[in-house]
Amino acid sequence: MKKILVDAHTHTIASGHAYSSLQEMVQAAADKGLQVLGVTEHGPSVPGTCPLLYFKNMFVVPRQMYGIRLLMGCEINILDTNGSLDLDEEYIGRLDLVIAGIHSAWYKGGTKEENTQGMINVIRHPKIHIISHPGDGSAELDFEKLVLAAKEAHTLLEINNHSLAPQRKKSVAKDNNLEILRLCKKYDVPTILGSDAHISFQIADYERLYPLLEETDFPDELIMNYWPDKFFDYLGI
């Protein structure tokens, strides 16, 4: 197993239900030997998250801190089967890193086919870099179609550690993520492990995912957390 150098999906106290400051998160990333940290606060549908002005004012934040390359972004909510997003293009254009995902509380879903097409629409959005936790069961999805769309669009499908926490009660998350990994391996599609850290101690914590990588014999070359240069080149950041 190679060394984790990138954690692209984390949250600070600005998201409203996380517990560490921005500087605490970056310092923890430095202490763990990372090179790149993505701070991706929740989109505006989530109660208590940061106001829109937060995203407009991100230019004040240094992008190099404690030896870490910092990416300031957002985890945007996918709202419906059309792939509507809860953050306007004006704000999306200000972000270093753009994640989008389905959270069941703010998603108006449909059939498996409708859900899949909506997510494919988001995957094809030119400014979306990562789809967060597609395997957590928040919507029924055709993962083969998503993997093929992600390959074409150079969008990363995340394998999310937080989804596998027992407290989340995501009963299908393990099997879904195993399926995504097998499909990514089959079609030679890169993926990214997501800590979804809501406190500094969770940064680069993928302990629930390593057994899945072992079970699928997933190649290191397709895990973008190990390869910062590949990560930036693949996403065009």
Side-chain angles (χ1 to χ4, degrees):
M1 188 181 300
K2 294 186 68 64
K3 182 175 175 56
I4 295 292
L5 298 175
V6 179
D7 189 349
H9 182 179
T10 71
H11 301 274
T12 77
I13 53 174
S15 281
H17 58 279
Y19 300 93
S20 298
S21 70
L22 176 63
Q23 287 176 249
E24 287 170 336
M25 296 292 277
V26 181
Q27 183 63 68
D31 291 344
K32 293 187 177 187
L34 272 64
Q35 294 182 10
V36 181
L37 180 69
V39 172
T40 49
E41 310 298 3
H42 280 289
S45 296
V46 177
T49 194
C50 48
L52 291 176
L53 182 59
Y54 181 92
F55 299 110
K56 185 176 286 190
N57 200 44
M58 281 179 169
F59 70 90
V60 306
V61 179
R63 295 317 199 258
Q64 291 286 337
M65 195 184 298
Y66 310 131
I68 295 290
R69 178 169 176 180
L70 178 61
L71 302 174
M72 296 294 291
C74 181
E75 184 186 11
I76 301 169
N77 294 286
I78 301 172
L79 299 176
D80 54 40
T81 57
N82 293 319
S84 304
L85 303 173
D86 72 342
L87 194 67
D88 292 342
E89 294 291 329
E90 173 192 356
Y91 295 97
I92 293 175
R94 296 173 180 270
L95 304 175
D96 304 328
L97 182 66
V98 187
I99 298 178
I102 292 174
H103 296 90
S104 56
W106 304 286
Y107 180 66
K108 186 177 181 181
T111 65
K112 181 177 183 178
E113 292 74 21
E114 291 170 336
N115 295 333
T116 300
Q117 186 56 56
M119 185 164 280
I120 288 173
N121 293 343
V122 177
I123 287 171
R124 291 173 174 166
H125 188 297
K127 295 179 182 176
I128 300 296
H129 300 120
I130 297 171
I131 300 297
S132 59
H133 44 72
D136 75 354
S138 292
E140 190 178 7
L141 298 162
D142 185 323
F143 296 121
E144 186 164 28
K145 289 182 179 179
L146 294 185
V147 167
L148 292 172
K151 181 174 185 176
E152 180 182 2
H154 275 219
T155 303
L156 294 172
L157 301 180
E158 178 195 67
I159 307 298
N160 186 282
N161 188 74
H162 199 51
S163 299
L164 290 159
Q167 297 88 342
R168 302 297 308 283
K169 299 181 180 179
K170 301 283 189 180
S171 60
V172 300
K174 179 181 178 181
D175 288 342
N176 284 351
N177 281 293
L178 284 169
E179 182 179 355
I180 293 169
L181 286 170
R182 291 188 179 109
L183 288 165
C184 285
K185 180 181 177 181
K186 175 181 178 180
Y187 292 111
D188 196 35
V189 180
T191 188
I192 190 159
L193 310 181
S195 73
D196 203 353
H198 282 64
I199 193 168
S200 61
F201 303 103
Q202 293 179 333
I203 287 177
D205 180 1
Y206 307 114
E207 289 303 315
R208 300 183 185 95
L209 303 183
Y210 294 135
L212 277 60
L213 299 177
E214 184 176 356
E215 182 172 341
T216 56
D217 193 24
F218 198 79
D220 288 349
E221 292 72 20
L222 294 179
I223 300 173
M224 293 294 98
N225 308 77
Y226 302 149
W227 314 98
D229 290 342
K230 287 185 181 180
F231 170 78
F232 288 114
D233 288 346
Y234 191 79
L235 296 180
I237 297 176

